[in-house]
Amino acid sequence: MTAVLSIETTPSAEAVADGSASAVAGFVGELVFDVLAGRRALHEVREHLMPQVAGLLFTTRLHAAQSPDYRLRSVHACLVTDCAVEACMIVGTHYRVRALVLRLEQDSGHWVCTLLSLV
């Protein structure tokens, strides 16, 4: 499933059960991408991150991503269990493209990024 999303609310477990793994990945992934791009502070999204992922975001920045043209292009997500989503987000401009690979798991009623890789 591929979609370019602008998510305004946190998706619920029911939304993922109904097939919107892309909505969950789009919401949490966009928060992660905003931190990488320097558009959002890490403390604003910490509730959606495992400590290891927060540490990675703290030490990693995409300086080129600060350009307004550098944005989320697409979300590819798959529901792997009732409480886990694996996703690949394509970010970039018309000239440079990167991928963010995420694993999201439901923890105490909200979605948390447990694994992040920048390709």
Side-chain angles (χ1 to χ4, degrees), residues 69-86:
D69 292 338
Y70 211 91
R71 61 187 174 93
L72 177 62
R73 298 292 176 181
S74 64
V75 177
H76 310 267
C78 179
L79 184 65
V80 289
T81 71
D82 289 343
C83 299
V85 172
E86 291 184 350

Side-chain angles (χ1 to χ4, degrees), residues 5-107:
L5 303 170
S6 175
I7 305 300
E8 310 240 345
T9 60
T10 304
S12 65
E14 296 82 29
V16 174
D18 291 338
S20 59
S22 291
V24 171
F27 173 76
V28 177
E30 192 161 8
L31 295 175
V32 168
F33 177 62
D34 284 349
V35 172
L36 283 170
R39 297 180 193 135
R40 188 182 297 263
L42 181 61
H43 69 82
E44 294 178 52
V45 301
R46 197 171 287 273
E47 70 177 310
H48 294 288
L49 307 173
M50 291 296 287
Q52 306 90 312
V53 174
L56 176 64
L57 288 175
F58 183 73
T59 60
T60 306
R61 290 286 184 268
L62 291 175
H63 297 290
Q66 293 174 353
S67 162
D69 292 338
Y70 211 91
R71 61 187 174 93
L72 177 62
R73 298 292 176 181
S74 64
V75 177
H76 310 267
C78 179
L79 184 65
V80 289
T81 71
D82 289 343
C83 299
V85 172
E86 291 184 350
C88 176
M89 298 177 43
I90 308 302
V91 297
T93 67
H94 294 293
Y95 306 106
R96 178 165 176 126
V97 177
R98 304 285 301 264
L100 295 175
V101 180
L102 308 153
R103 180 172 174 95
L104 308 166
E105 297 178 11
Q106 196 170 33
D107 180 37

